[in-house]
Amino acid sequence: MTGQLWTLRGAHTEYTVTVPAHGRWLELVAWGPHGVSDGPSPVAYDGPVPFLTAGDAAPIEYATDADRPFTGADLVIETSNGQRRVGFVHTDARIDADQRELAVAFADAVTGLRATVHYRVPAGTDVVQRWVELTNDGTDALRVVRAGSGGFCVPTPHGALLSHQWGQWEQEFQLSHVELGHGTFSIGSSQGVPGHLHVPWLAVRDTADPAGSAWGMGLAWTGSWEISAERDTGGLTRVRAGRQLVDGPLELPPGESLTLPVVTGAYSPDGLDGLARVWHTHQRLLAGERLTPRPVLYNSWEATYFAVEAQSQLALARIAAELGVETFVVDDGWFVGRNDDTAGLGDWTPDPAKFPAGFDAFIADVRALGLNFGLWVEPECVNPKSTLYAEHPDWVYSVDGRPLTPVRNQYLLDLGRPEVAEFVHSTVDGLLRRYDIDYLKWDFNRPRTEPGRAGGIAPLDLDGAHVANLHRIYEQLRRDHPGVLIEACAGGGARTDLAMAARADVFWPSDNTGPLDRLAIQYGFLHANAPHLLSSWVTDAPGLFDSRPRSLAFRFVLAMAGVLGIGADIRAWTPDERAEAADWIARYKEIRDVVTHGEVHLIGGPDQARCAVQYTAPDENRVVVLAWHTGRLDGAGLLPSRPVRLPLRGLDPAARYSHGDRHYSGSHLATVGLPVHWSATHDADLIVLTRD
């Protein structure tokens, strides 16, 4: 079957691969819009490769170190005597009738290793999901030294323009661009979690056409990871993505199989903005029937911190209900021993001193206000000052004979241990069965430091075991409690990847709720994630990096870009502020279906004079525009009064749209733009256009 072509077809794209006549590997022919596979391959290289091997220059889809010994392999296998250089021969392939699923098999006669490279294009999308299944059919144990999920080859004849997201705690999802003429660019995490420092997401464009074709890669892995991009002298950029093996090589005994994480590629002809919409479509498909407009929530953290007790929480809940909030979430501090961050984690029993009438009665009082009820948990962590740690000190990650490293005064439970996984699942499941809970905020406030297990026999794939059990617990909870929404949080946005997007209902992108800081965070977030995953609160907190104040309107319009929440101490709001908040919440409820399901266009940016997000309803009858002014607002007369023009995208040029008593044609909105007037007291706008 060598020399055969297989083409996978997406909604607007195609992905074509082949096994060359020598049968040693699978390589890309073309990836892009329908028809890109016709004619010469845009990634093929037929020139000489002196001082290298042919594989080092070929657009290989999944390369061993025998295929690419010098320019970076996806898979490195080591035998028991330390030898490497696995070399495959093609054995089989199968593709489904719809041309959306493909499996290509290879085998190595020396080691007995089999590898099946899988492809899937979900219906209605322009992404290709890829993963590899390894099976040891030999008689000796093998070690997986590098566990990449795949390599994506992108034509960049003029140079590669790479877009990535970097950050830190309270400054996540900062969008940045790097021109890569030659050499390698790499990002990743060794923290046992995707982390705040980088996002497992990358975009590639040719430097000569940044508004044109864009290719993206995202990894579905909630542990340590790595993504690298290398541009060769022939103009090909190859992106490798997969696990980072922080615990050492993976053991693959005879007869055993190992499935590597899914890595997803995306294509758009319309630059980063178009690529964002491809990711949104994919993530909405991952959500399935759970893709519904999320309730407006109130979270008590910034109002009370650890000082949680029934009466103060109910006072907040009463005001929240009057404002139109639908779900009330009690954050950290509700359980025994939890008066600060030094104690209590692990002992998940409501504190009777804080809820003297009982936690059931407290929840009933909240629900009597017409509110659903939500609760914060951090079940993977434990404080040294807790009953759980006193009884099970061996349950935390540790290296025998070495001191433990506390982060935020807590240790991390070894979720890969079956008894720990059972404890975590039974604890959260028990809370959901015992109490009338509709919303769960699952937090994770520290990385893994000690890479060991008490009394454990090395080597252990601690990272893989933790991730596998975490995913399984999320899946069990969603299966057994389908009405409960789960918010994934990790000290902010340290746990956002495609695997969690398929298992959580919403992400908490950052602990920073300051308005201008948050604008930049959300701008980056929406390039890689759909709005239904974006939890955003209105608070009174100043930004850490840009502390300029913004109006209540600015903060509400900003939080409406995804899932609207409130985290301010609303007891301190004036009657006028509460009335304004109630009006914004009512307006959000009118547009949230468009925000949830609409086609998104990102206009301008947080560092530009104009910054907006446009949402066009699937039936194209409504267009929602959220716009913010990012300039100076520190005194009357300092803000220019000239209107800003926002060019809207994706509208029918022949259609007419109305906003109040103003009427516009689609072509006018695309070319001249929608006028938005700013003033010293008007720094944000929510505009709803209706198709006439």
Side-chain angles (χ1 to χ4, degrees):
M1 297 180 66
T2 58
Q4 184 175 350
L5 295 174
W6 300 279
T7 296
L8 298 159
R9 294 183 63 83
H12 310 94
T13 55
E14 62 189 43
Y15 196 100
T16 299
V17 295
T18 186
V19 175
H22 55 66
R24 290 161 47 198
W25 59 65
L26 182 69
E27 65 180 51
L28 181 68
V29 174
W31 177 21
H34 287 163
V36 70
S37 303
D38 299 338
S41 168
V43 295
Y45 182 74
D46 300 321
V49 285
F51 220 74
L52 294 174
T53 71
D56 284 307
I60 300 181
E61 288 285 278
Y62 195 68
T64 71
D65 55 348
D67 303 329
R68 291 172 62 92
F70 306 116
T71 53
D74 306 297
L75 179 70
V76 178
I77 297 290
E78 190 174 83
T79 64
S80 58
N81 62 5
Q83 294 185 342
R84 297 185 177 182
R85 295 293 191 266
V86 162
F88 285 131
V89 173
H90 172 56
T91 59
D92 191 21
R94 58 186 183 277
I95 188 169
D96 73 329
D98 294 329
Q99 291 184 283
R100 289 204 297 265
E101 293 196 32
L102 171 68
V104 186
F106 296 85
D108 175 42
V110 176
T111 61
L113 181 69
R114 285 192 294 114
T116 303
V117 183
H118 293 269
Y119 296 82
R120 178 172 56 224
V121 175
T125 73
D126 288 303
V127 303
V128 55
Q129 297 174 302
R130 296 177 51 186
W131 70 99
V132 177
E133 184 179 4
L134 303 173
T135 302
N136 185 357
D137 284 342
T139 58
D140 294 326
L142 300 174
R143 290 189 290 270
V144 183
V145 177
R146 176 177 291 167
S149 292
F152 288 94
C153 298
V154 176
T156 53
H158 304 94
L161 179 59
L162 307 179
S163 299
H164 66 105
Q165 296 180 36
W166 61 274
Q168 58 183 321
W169 177 69
E170 300 248 293
Q171 195 184 20
E172 299 91 332
F173 302 102
Q174 304 299 300
L175 187 64
S176 187
H177 314 285
V178 175
E179 287 195 19
L180 186 67
H182 299 285
T184 302
F185 169 87
S186 64
I187 54 176
S189 168
S190 58
Q191 297 179 328
V193 66
H196 297 88
L197 303 181
H198 301 285
V199 176
W201 172 94
L202 189 72
V204 184
R205 292 168 288 166
D206 188 79
T207 55
D209 189 19
S213 291
W215 293 264
M217 299 86 194
L219 187 64
W221 183 248
T222 316
S224 299
W225 60 276
E226 56 186 359
I227 295 177
S228 66
E230 181 174 20
R231 184 172 183 272
D232 65 20
T233 55
L236 182 74
T237 297
R238 189 172 191 273
V239 178
R240 292 192 291 111
R243 292 184 57 181
Q244 183 177 163
L245 301 182
V246 293
D247 299 313
L250 305 177
E251 298 295 308
L252 189 59
E256 296 293 321
S257 294
L258 172 67
T259 300
L260 299 176
V262 172
V263 59
T264 303
Y267 172 79
S268 171
D270 300 317
L272 289 185
D273 185 49
L275 194 62
R277 290 189 290 279
V278 174
W279 287 121
H280 297 173
T281 298
H282 175 52
Q283 290 172 331
R284 287 164 174 166
L285 182 69
L286 292 177
E289 61 185 17
R290 296 176 72 93
L291 181 64
T292 57
R294 310 304 192 211
V296 179
L297 67 82
Y298 179 85
N299 183 291
S300 66
W301 173 247
E302 292 196 19
T304 61
Y305 293 99
F306 294 103
V308 172
E309 51 82 28
Q311 292 309 309
S312 64
Q313 297 293 304
L314 285 173
L316 291 166
R318 292 187 189 98
I319 300 170
E322 292 171 359
L323 299 181
V325 166
E326 296 160 311
T327 296
F328 184 83
V329 181
V330 175
D331 210 279
D332 198 354
W334 58 270
F335 45 99
V336 293
R338 193 64 168 175
N339 298 310
D340 54 34
D341 66 7
T342 66
L345 282 182
D347 302 337
W348 300 103
T349 301
D351 189 338
K354 297 182 177 184
F355 304 97
F359 203 50
D360 273 324
F362 166 71
I363 295 174
D365 288 341
V366 172
R367 299 186 74 87
L369 298 170
L371 296 166
N372 290 332
F373 183 74
L375 198 64
W376 176 96
V377 293
E378 191 176 2
E380 296 161 80
C381 291
V382 61
N383 285 124
K385 296 179 182 179
S386 67
T387 301
L388 179 68
Y389 185 71
E391 294 177 350
H392 300 287
D394 56 324
W395 279 13
V396 304
Y397 287 110
S398 63
V399 177
D400 290 342
R402 305 293 181 186
L404 295 175
T405 304
V407 177
R408 198 178 179 255
N409 300 305
Q410 61 197 56
Y411 300 141
L412 182 60
L413 294 175
D414 180 356
L415 194 63
R417 297 176 68 126
E419 63 272 29
V420 174
E422 173 55 30
F423 166 78
V424 170
H425 173 258
S426 62
T427 295
V428 180
D429 181 70
L431 287 170
L432 296 179
R433 293 182 187 278
R434 174 70 179 82
Y435 301 108
D436 202 354
I437 297 170
D438 306 278
Y439 192 97
L440 193 69
K441 184 180 178 75
W442 183 309
D443 211 340
F444 181 90
N445 276 303
R446 59 153 296 160
R448 179 161 64 93
T449 47
E450 280 62 51
R453 177 175 295 170
I457 300 174
L460 296 169
D461 181 15
L462 300 172
D463 195 57
H466 194 119
V467 172
N469 280 339
L470 175 73
H471 290 172
R472 180 178 56 81
I473 292 169
Y474 263 74
E475 291 161 4
Q476 289 177 312
L477 292 175
R478 284 177 46 151
R479 180 196 65 210
D480 297 337
H481 307 279
V484 176
L485 295 177
I486 303 179
E487 176 184 335
C489 173
R495 200 181 242 177
T496 59
D497 66 276
L498 288 174
M500 290 305 290
R503 294 169 173 84
D505 297 293
V506 67
F507 289 151
W508 179 238
S510 180
D511 287 343
N512 187 343
T513 60
L516 288 171
D517 289 354
R518 190 65 176 228
L519 184 64
I521 291 166
Q522 295 185 181
Y523 176 76
F525 182 92
L526 287 173
H527 277 81
N529 297 282
H532 75 272
L533 292 168
L534 172 60
S535 177
S536 189
W537 298 351
V538 177
T539 74
D540 296 321
L544 293 181
F545 305 95
D546 189 337
S547 58
R548 289 175 294 165
R550 282 298 184 264
S551 69
L552 191 61
F554 187 104
R555 288 174 273 153
F556 262 100
V557 175
L558 180 62
M560 290 181 184
V563 179
L564 175 61
I566 301 175
D569 187 350
I570 49 181
R571 296 170 299 186
W573 282 4
T574 67
D576 286 346
E577 287 174 322
R578 294 183 190 180
E580 182 181 353
D583 181 62
W584 283 117
I585 290 172
R587 294 179 69 183
Y588 175 73
K589 291 176 181 177
E590 294 173 354
I591 65 164
R592 61 181 166 185
D593 61 322
V594 181
V595 173
T596 301
H597 299 285
E599 181 180 270
V600 177
H601 293 265
L602 301 166
I603 302 170
D607 57 349
Q608 300 177 21
R610 62 189 185 192
C611 183
V613 183
Q614 171 192 335
Y615 308 80
T616 302
D619 63 7
E620 301 183 353
N621 287 331
R622 280 189 298 166
V623 180
V624 174
V625 180
L626 307 178
W628 307 274
H629 192 282
T630 59
R632 294 182 61 173
L633 289 177
D634 48 6
L638 294 178
L639 187 66
S641 60
R642 297 186 182 92
V644 170
R645 295 281 181 169
L646 300 176
L648 304 189
R649 304 298 186 214
L651 304 181
D652 181 352
R656 293 186 59 79
Y657 299 85
S658 61
H659 172 56
D661 58 356
R662 300 294 301 271
H663 298 271
Y664 308 93
S665 69
S667 60
H668 178 94
L669 292 171
T671 56
V672 179
L674 176 71
V676 179
H677 294 267
W678 303 120
S679 72
T681 57
H682 185 77
D683 58 355
D685 237 327
L686 162 60
I687 300 167
V688 179
L689 297 166
T690 303
R691 186 169 179 165
D692 294 340

